Amino acid sequence: MPALVHKLVIIAAADGILLQPSPLRNQRPSAGVQITYRTNSITPLGENQTDNSKSAQTLEAHGIVGLFTVASSSYLISISSRQQVAQIRGKPIYVITGVNLIPLSSQSDAKKAIELNNTNSKKAANRVSAGLTSDSDTSEDENEDAEHDQASNTEDDDPTIPHTPEADKSEAPASQGAGEKSSSVVQDVIGRKGQYGRFAEKWFSKKGWSVEKRRMQGMSEADSKESGNNSRKAPGPENTVASEDFPDTSIEASDKQDQRQETKEAQPDPLTVADNLTPKLLKTTKMLLSSHSFYFSYDHDITRRLGTSQTKNSDVPLHKSVDRLFFWNRHLTSSFVDAGQHSFVLPLMQGFVGQRAFTVNTESEDPSRMVAAAKENVGEIIELQNNASSAKEFRASPETRDFLITLVSRRSTLRPGLRYLRRGIDSEGNTANYVETEQILSEPSWSPLARIYSFTQVRGSIPLYFTQSPYSFKPVPILQHSYEANHTAFRRHFTNFISSYSNVQVVLLVDKQGVEAKIGEEYEKHTNELNNESGINGVKLGFEWFDFHNICRGMKFENVSILMDSIGSIISEFGATIEKDGKIQRGQSGALRTNCMDCLDRTNVVQSACGQRMLEEQLKSEGITLSLQADTSTQWFNTLWADNGDAISKQYSSTAALKGDYTRTRKRDYRGAINDFGLTLSRYFNNIVNDYFSQAVIDFLLGNVTDRVFSEFEADMMSGDPAMSMRKVRQSAIDTSSKIVIADQDEDFLGGWTLLCPKDPNTLRTFPFEEIVLLLTNTAIYAVRFDWNMEKVAGFERVELKSIVGIMKGIYITSTLAAAQTDEERNVGFVVRYRPGQKDVARINTRSLSTAVAPRQEEFNEARRNREGGGRAEAEREGADDQHGQDDEALRDLQKRMTDACDLKGSSAPSDLPNDSKPKANPKDVDKSTELKTLAFKALPADSSFASVNRDGSEGQDLTEKQTVQTVCEEIAKAIGGDALGGKRVVTREGLVRETRGIVEDGDIISLAEARKSTGLLEQLGHSLKKLVWA
C-alpha cells in the first residue's frame, strides 16, 4: 500500500494552512498540501510556497484526523501525541493521547491556535522533565486553566472560538491594562467561561442583557432597550398583541407587518446557535479524541480480523482496504479523499488494543504451573518481539516456549453512541454498542513457520426496538414499534451477522425475573420464529439464556463455568481461524454473540471466560496442557480482558466496567461491590448530564447528522435517535390510522399528514406538544392520537367538514427559549374552529372491550388521562397549571377573532348566499353544547439534523413548514367545497359584486410578542439552569 504520512509540520501561511510531511528513512518525501482559508480547498503544495513559509509559525503532528465544518467555521484536527500500545507482525499500533484543533478561518486565528498548542506542549514537556506526569488529570486541568486564562479577557483571545462580529459588538468588555487584574468576584466568575461563567454572565453582568442574550432568554428587544435606557417607554398592547381581526388591507395589518419585519431583523441567523455551542463542541471533540480510545497504524490494517485482511494489492491506499464498519474518521477525511491526497488519510478505529507475552514451561507436568513467566509492560513486550524477529531463523526451545496474546476490540460506526441514548436496533439492522473482539495467539516473532490463531466474539445490544430512561437506577426497558417492524429489523441484523461470521450462537445474560424479563422473552420469541422460518438461508440461530445475576448470586461469579459447560461444545465446533505460511489453514465457522442489557459488565465476564477456554484449546493443539483457571500466575490474562472491558465501558458509559475485580483476579469481595456502587453513581450522573451533548458530537463527527443537531439540542437539551426512517414511520402511522378510524366505507380517504398538536384539545399551548396524525376524507377530518412506541391508535377525534366554521393559519410560536423556536418562517400552524355536531365524536383506545366515547372535549381529556396512568401523565403535566391561564387568554383572543370572522361570513347560511346577506349568529342564542371548539396544529420541522444524510436518501423533506400548512389548509377547503376556497365572485342584493374570502384566513395563532409575554421568569430561569448543566 502507498506510504502514509507518519509525521508532518503544520504551517500557518498567508493563504492557507500548509501540511508539509517529514521524510522517512529510505523514502522519498511526500508532497505537501495547502488548505485554503474559508474555502477549505485542498491543493498540492508548490516548492515556492514551502520556501516562503520557513519563517512562519509551525506545529508538529503525527498525522491528520480530518477536518470538519460547523456553521461558518472549519477546523483541522491533527494528532499532537500518541503512544505505542502493541506491535502486530512487526508493525507498531498506536493510541491517540492528544489532538490539536486549528481554525481555518484566517492566518491570524491559525497562528494563535498554533502558538497556544506549542505553549501547552512546552508546559507538558517541562512537567515530564520535572517528573510530574504521574497524574494525568493534573496535566489536563492545567491545560484547561491555560485556556480559561486566555479567555478571561475576551473570547477572541481563544483562537478555537469562532469570530462572531455581532456578539463582539454588543459584548466587548472594557479594556484593561496589561498588569491590571479585576477585583470583582462577579467578573472573575464571568471570566471563567467553560465552568460556570456562561450562566453568571447572563444574570450578573454589569452590561445587563444584550439584545442577543435577551432574545435567547425569551425577552423582547424593546425590554432590552428599556432596561438600558429609561427614556423609551414599553410598547403598548396594540404593538405586542396580535390584531383582534383577521389581517386584511387595513392600517392595523400594515403596522403589524412592519412590526413583524422589525422582529425578524432583530433575530439572528439560526445557524448562530451552532456558533454559540462551538466552544463546547471543540472541547468535547478534543476530549473524545484524546480519551485513549482511538487506535491507528501507519502500515497495518487493524480494522480487519485474521483471514479477512485485504493486503495483497499494494497499490490500494489503506483507507480503501479497511473495513468501513470500523473506520471512525471516514467522514472527517472525506475532503482529503476527494482531493486525491491519500497519504494524509489515516484510518482510526475506536475500541481497544492490548498485548501480553507469556512463557510456558513445556516440561512441567502440572497444568496449574505451566506458565513460567509473563510480561505485561508494553515496552518489554515490544522489545521481546523485536528481538525474536531479528533472529536469523526460528528456533523452539526444548524447555520453554514464548507466546504472545493480542486482544483487539473494534466498535462499530453504525448506531454508535452512549449508553441510554443508543439502545437496541435501527431499521438497517445495526445494534448499539456493537463490538467485535478478536483474541490472537502467536509467537513473539510472528514467524510464518508457526501457527497464528484468531478467535472472534461479538457483543451488541438486544436486536429489538427499545428504550430505557436515563433518570432511573434500574430503568425498565420499553419496547417500541410493532412486532412486525421488530421482526423485520431482527431478521436483517442476523442476515448481516451470518454473512460475516457464517453461524451464530446467542448468549443472553439478562434476568429471567424483574424488569429485564420481558425483553428477554421477546428476544427468545423472535429467535424461535426466525428458526421456524428455516433461519437465515438455512442457518438457524443458537440461543442460550443464562440468568447471570440469579446463578451468580452472592458474588459467586465462578458459576459462569455452568454456562461454559453448556456452550463449550459449540465454542469448540466454531473453532478459530488458523494461519500458517501466510495461508489460512482453517477458518472460524461461527461466532458467539453475547449481550446483557448494556453489553458491558456481565458480557465482559462471559467473553473473558470464552476467551480463556479457547486459549486453553489452542495451546493444547500446540502440545501444551494449561489450566488458566487453576494457575494463580495467570493474572496477565485476566488484566488484559479487564483492560478491554474498562475501555469498552468508558466509551459507552463513561466509566470503567463493573465486576472488574473478578475479571482481573477471579475473586469477588465487598471492596469490589463498593467500587461498583461508586461507578454506578458516576454512570447515573453522566447519563442525565453529559451524554446528550456528547451524543450529538459523536453523530456530527461521524457525519450522521448536520450541524442543525446543535439547534435541536439547544431547544430541547437532548439529541435525537435516528433508529428508524421517520418518513417511513409516519407514513406507516397514516396508513394504520386510516384503516382503523375511518369506519364508514362510503368515506373517501383524501390525504393524511403528521403534525404537532397541544397535549389537551381545545387549547393552544399545553405542553408537551404531541405528534399526531391528521386524516382527511370527503366528509370529515380525524385528529388521531398515535402511540408511536407500539404503533397503535391511542384515540381520535372526528369532526364533520360541515361543522367547520373557520380555519386560521399563520405564525405559531410556543416557546422563545431557543433561537429555532422563535423563527417565524418555521414556526407556523393552523387552527380549525368547528361547532360540534351529532356525528362529531372522540374515542379512546382503552385496551379493553369498551371504548370511551366523548363528544365533549372535557370527557376526551379525562378518558385519555385515565388511560395514560397517573405517573407519566403527572410528570408530563408538570408546570402545566401555571401555563393554563396564559393559554386560556391566548385562546380567548383567537376565538374572538375567529368568531367575528365566522359571524362576518355567516357560517350557518347557505353557501350560495353572499357574505353580507348571511344571518349572523347571536352568542346568547347559542346553546352551550354548541359553542365553538378548537383544534390546533403546528407543522413539524421540515429539515431535521438527520434529513440530508440518510443512507437511502428517503429522509429529505419536499415541503417547508409554510408549504405544509398551506397544502393541508387548501385540501381541507377543497373537501368542504362551495365558497370555502374563496375567490368566488357573487352579486349582493344591492347589485354589488364582491369576492368571497373563503374559510381559510391568515393570522397569527401565537405571535412572537404574545409568546414572549407568556414566557415567565421562572421558565427562563429553568431553561438557563438546564443550559448551565447540559450546555
Side-chain angles (χ1 to χ4, degrees), residues 144-283:
E144 290 182 4
D145 288 342
E147 293 176 0
H148 289 312
D149 292 340
Q150 280 279 46
S152 60
N153 293 325
T154 174
E155 289 186 356
D156 289 339
D157 290 340
D158 190 345
T160 62
I161 298 179
H163 183 68
T164 51
E166 295 81 6
D168 295 340
K169 186 175 180 180
S170 62
E171 298 184 272
S175 60
Q176 297 179 352
E180 188 176 351
K181 198 168 184 179
S182 173
S183 60
S184 170
V185 175
V186 172
Q187 290 182 2
D188 177 67
V189 170
I190 294 172
R192 304 282 291 182
K193 288 179 175 74
Q195 293 183 357
Y196 43 76
R198 187 182 302 163
F199 173 73
E201 178 184 20
K202 295 173 181 176
W203 289 97
F204 305 115
S205 173
K206 290 181 179 179
K207 301 185 298 297
W209 293 76
S210 66
V211 173
E212 165 64 9
K213 297 292 185 182
R214 295 190 70 84
R215 186 197 64 74
M216 293 295 292
Q217 294 301 320
M219 300 182 181
S220 65
E221 178 186 3
D223 293 336
S224 174
K225 294 179 180 178
E226 181 185 9
S227 64
N229 185 0
N230 294 330
S231 62
R232 181 169 181 175
K233 297 182 179 180
E238 65 276 6
N239 293 327
T240 59
V241 183
S243 173
E244 294 293 331
D245 298 318
F246 283 107
D248 50 21
T249 56
S250 64
I251 297 177
E252 290 182 2
S254 177
D255 293 341
K256 185 176 178 181
Q257 187 67 25
D258 294 340
Q259 178 191 356
R260 187 177 302 156
Q261 184 65 29
E262 293 175 2
T263 304
K264 289 171 65 176
E265 291 174 358
Q267 294 179 13
D269 190 335
L271 285 179
T272 58
V273 173
D275 283 328
N276 294 335
L277 289 174
T278 295
K280 185 174 179 65
L281 166 63
L282 300 181
K283 182 178 180 181

Side-chain angles (χ1 to χ4, degrees), residues 507-548:
V507 179
L508 180 62
L509 304 176
V510 302
D511 300 343
K512 291 188 176 182
Q513 304 291 331
V515 298
E516 297 178 356
K518 183 177 180 181
I519 195 167
E521 292 168 357
E522 286 295 313
Y523 194 176
E524 187 174 30
K525 184 177 179 180
H526 282 279
T527 300
N528 293 334
E529 180 172 338
L530 188 62
N531 287 337
N532 292 335
E533 298 168 355
S534 299
I536 305 296
N537 299 325
V539 178
K540 294 187 177 182
L541 279 58
F543 188 87
E544 182 72 25
W545 189 347
F546 181 76
D547 191 344
F548 188 97

Side-chain angles (χ1 to χ4, degrees), residues 411-431:
R411 292 198 75 205
S412 171
T413 59
L414 302 179
R415 194 153 178 72
L418 303 172
R419 197 181 180 205
Y420 287 127
L421 305 184
R422 290 296 179 268
R423 307 295 259 179
I425 201 169
D426 64 15
S427 58
E428 299 299 320
N430 307 306
T431 58

Side-chain angles (χ1 to χ4, degrees), residues 8-30:
L8 69 152
V9 177
I10 302 174
I11 307 168
D15 298 328
I17 294 289
L18 307 184
L19 306 181
Q20 183 60 55
S22 301
L24 300 175
R25 289 184 300 175
N26 303 325
Q27 286 190 5
R28 295 173 52 190
S30 301

